[in-house]
Amino acid sequence: MDNLSDTLKKLKITAVDRTEDSLEGCLDCLLQALAQNNMETSEKIQGSGILQLFASLLIPQSFCTAKVANIIAEVAKNEFMRIPCVDAGLISPLVQLLNSKDQEVLLQTGRALGNICYDSHEGRSAVDQAGGAQIVIDHLRSLCSRTDPANEKLLTVFCGMLMNYSNENDSLQAQLINMGVIPTLVKLLGIHCQNAALTEMCLVAFGNLAELESSKEQFASTNIAEELVKLFKKQIEHDKREMIFEVLAPLAENDAIKLQLVEAGLVECLLEIVQEKVDSDKEDDIAELKTASDLMVLLLLGDESMQKLFEGGKGNVFQRVLSWIPSNNHQLQLAGALAIANFARNDGNCIHMVDNGIVEKLMDLLDRHVEDGNVTVQHAALSALRNLAIPVVNKAKMLSAGVTEAVLKFLKSEMPPVQFKLLGTLRMLIDAQAEAAEQLGKNVKLVERLVEWCEAKDHAGVMGESNRLLSALIRHSKSKDVIKTIVQSGGIKHLVTMATSEHVIMQNEALVALALIAALELGTAEKDLESAKLVQILHRLLADERSAPEIKYNSMVLICALIGSESLHKEVQDLAFLDVVSKLRSHENKSVAQQASLTEQRLTVES
């Protein structure tokens, strides 16, 4: 180290008079010291004030330029040296050197800039201001096709520099995307797929850029899908496949890329992995099985990619996914059920699947998860059943297959995601199915659980779905017994609250259900309607200009039904409803105007 101090002193003198031999000797000595103990040597260099001198040595065509850049690259491996490098004014001359024709100078300059940018806001900012990124991207473009080892090493360094420059920095990543880095990197990957280091750099760069929404369109206009699938097929090592997965996952969120990946044959690769790993208990294999099956489900979220893989229900992929549902592997059961839920996104697919026995498979799966079951599998299987129940022709078939009974087994679940899907499935099943709605509506256990969930303030989804199912039981059954069960279980107040929901569809469903209650069982519900302040709420809905026309219409229908009760009629009279209703006679919506006239007549006659 004493030797190092002498070298630094000597370097100060020779840097000024530029004596070639002694300058080169000093630089070699520094590089040697850095190789032996980088951190300690870097501290000495910083303390000596020599960094400022380096700026004057970074000149094109100088015999020592590459060595100086190499020294900067080495010292910048230390976090504490990055800001001093910026403060010493090294960025601008380094960026100038990117215009050099000397390959060694370019290599060391790329390393120096890359290391200074690593995790350093100041370094990135200085390179940004000096315009370094554009020059590097231009180099990548012009050198892209050359496959000699020296050039591939340079390309790897430049890719690494851009990565360090933009990592986890959205605005710099967006800048690179605007400069057109994506098509260039995709081309690099295609040409240099035999070079492991460069391939890895490209993959890490893709992984960073793919997180940005603005990158997806650019990726979609390249042949990235084809290149990644080609690369994926060649990989045997788990780590390498994992790297490709990390790029595929964010890219596959884009529908156009989903389709490209399907067309490039990714699904076949994923199915192969599943088959290979399904019986393994190795940690890596279990992780890879999960990643592959999750990605498979993600590809099915795109309408075109999903339909292409469904192939009218005859497709190999669809059949393979079906075989996951009865498997003993929870991850495959989950992926299988989620895949069915994704295939069940249009009526044609749903009808075909129900006709071909999918419901029984899903019910068997649910059966295996009733006691202490896997919550994610329960949730996924219920999601699939809910989607399958949407087409009108499927409802009766699913009801007679016993879906209601299978679903009700989960009524005791304390998991909000399961509760939410259970409610949605039942609501879909009873839509326009009077008999099923009546049967469920008289099920005291179910109704009591719904009333309990209507108060689940921490889980808005469960609360909303419970209210909607409560209303649906009345609307579809039109049954006095159902209404009595709901009144006895304390459900009326929730339907009244639902009429004030911010969602028009829910307000409407509540008002229609309340109108049926008032028409069929007013005496039974009278006290609950009073204490829930229904009349005041209706007055508010009618007076509020923001209320949708159908809300005003149904509120007036309900008022006409409520005046059959003496106590509620008195509330209507006390609130001077006539004033509000008469104003609505000139409403722009014809149905509202007509109902206003009818309501006005009823209120006048009854007063």
Side-chain angles (χ1 to χ4, degrees), residues 319-391:
Q319 295 303 329
R320 290 277 287 278
V321 165
L322 271 188
S323 72
W324 295 355
I325 294 173
S327 103
N328 290 319
N329 183 304
H330 281 188
Q331 174 57 34
L332 279 195
Q333 293 172 0
L334 169 65
L338 287 172
I340 297 303
N342 285 346
F343 279 125
R345 284 211 316 278
N346 63 51
D347 284 7
N349 292 5
C350 288
I351 292 163
H352 181 280
M353 286 193 279
V354 168
D355 287 347
N356 285 275
I358 189 65
V359 170
E360 289 70 17
K361 283 189 170 70
L362 289 167
M363 290 197 319
D364 288 347
L365 177 60
L366 277 174
D367 242 10
R368 294 162 71 183
H369 289 276
V370 175
E371 298 304 325
D372 310 319
N374 183 302
V375 173
T376 50
V377 175
Q378 293 171 359
H379 179 260
L382 289 167
S383 295
L385 287 171
R386 181 199 173 280
N387 288 4
L388 291 165
I390 293 172

Side-chain angles (χ1 to χ4, degrees), residues 35 63 97 109 166 273 291 327 406 473:
F63 65 94
L97 286 178
T109 303
S166 65
I273 288 176
T291 309
S327 103
L473 292 170

Side-chain angles (χ1 to χ4, degrees), residues 468-506:
R468 293 189 77 184
L469 182 53
L470 215 47
S471 151
L473 292 170
I474 295 169
R475 288 182 296 110
H476 299 302
S477 71
K478 300 182 176 60
S479 151
K480 291 185 169 204
D481 290 340
V482 170
I483 293 168
K484 283 177 189 164
T485 308
I486 289 172
V487 172
Q488 281 155 10
S489 305
I492 296 297
K493 63 180 178 193
H494 297 299
L495 290 171
V496 174
T497 306
M498 184 181 168
T500 63
S501 163
E502 59 195 30
H503 304 290
V504 174
I505 191 163
M506 285 176 70

Side-chain angles (χ1 to χ4, degrees), residues 118-119 124 162-170 173 208:
Y118 185 77
D119 248 357
R124 292 169 179 184
L162 289 180
M163 217 166 56
N164 288 354
Y165 170 71
S166 65
N167 191 30
E168 290 181 359
N169 184 313
D170 286 359
Q173 287 178 353
N208 290 345

Side-chain angles (χ1 to χ4, degrees), residues 180-377:
V181 75
I182 288 173
T184 307
L185 289 174
V186 174
K187 198 173 166 192
L188 268 181
L189 182 69
I191 295 170
H192 302 274
C193 56
Q194 303 302 327
N195 184 303
L198 185 47
T199 299
E200 208 163 298
M201 273 304 175
C202 286
L203 288 174
V204 178
F206 290 147
N208 290 345
L209 296 169
E211 296 293 341
L212 222 62
E213 210 37 58
S214 58
S215 73
K216 307 273 179 26
E217 267 178 50
Q218 271 212 33
F219 273 119
S221 64
T222 69
N223 62 337
I224 182 82
E226 205 181 310
E227 292 298 354
L228 288 174
V229 173
K230 207 161 49 179
L231 192 64
F232 192 84
K233 285 176 179 171
K234 288 182 197 161
Q235 303 306 328
I236 304 154
E237 291 168 54
H238 169 77
D239 292 351
K240 292 281 190 325
R241 294 218 283 216
E242 198 173 0
M243 276 188 87
I244 302 172
F245 272 139
E246 278 169 16
V247 181
L248 288 169
L251 285 180
E253 285 166 13
N254 176 281
D255 282 0
I257 300 175
K258 280 187 184 80
L259 187 59
Q260 290 169 6
L261 289 168
V262 167
E263 286 171 343
L266 178 62
V267 172
E268 288 71 16
C269 298
L270 298 176
L271 290 172
E272 215 169 289
I273 288 176
V274 168
Q275 206 167 350
E276 269 173 39
K277 312 289 181 188
V278 68
D279 298 319
S280 170
D281 48 13
K282 281 193 204 152
E283 214 171 296
D284 279 357
D285 290 347
I286 293 167
E288 202 165 338
L289 176 81
K290 180 179 176 354
T291 309
S293 52
D294 284 349
L295 188 51
M296 182 78 204
V297 172
L298 181 58
L299 291 175
L300 293 172
L301 274 173
D303 287 340
E304 280 187 83
S305 51
M306 177 272 286
Q307 212 50 46
K308 190 177 176 66
L309 294 171
F310 189 66
E311 290 181 68
K314 305 274 188 289
N316 169 42
V317 174
F318 174 65
Q319 295 303 329
R320 290 277 287 278
V321 165
L322 271 188
S323 72
W324 295 355
I325 294 173
S327 103
N328 290 319
N329 183 304
H330 281 188
Q331 174 57 34
L332 279 195
Q333 293 172 0
L334 169 65
L338 287 172
I340 297 303
N342 285 346
F343 279 125
R345 284 211 316 278
N346 63 51
D347 284 7
N349 292 5
C350 288
I351 292 163
H352 181 280
M353 286 193 279
V354 168
D355 287 347
N356 285 275
I358 189 65
V359 170
E360 289 70 17
K361 283 189 170 70
L362 289 167
M363 290 197 319
D364 288 347
L365 177 60
L366 277 174
D367 242 10
R368 294 162 71 183
H369 289 276
V370 175
E371 298 304 325
D372 310 319
N374 183 302
V375 173
T376 50
V377 175

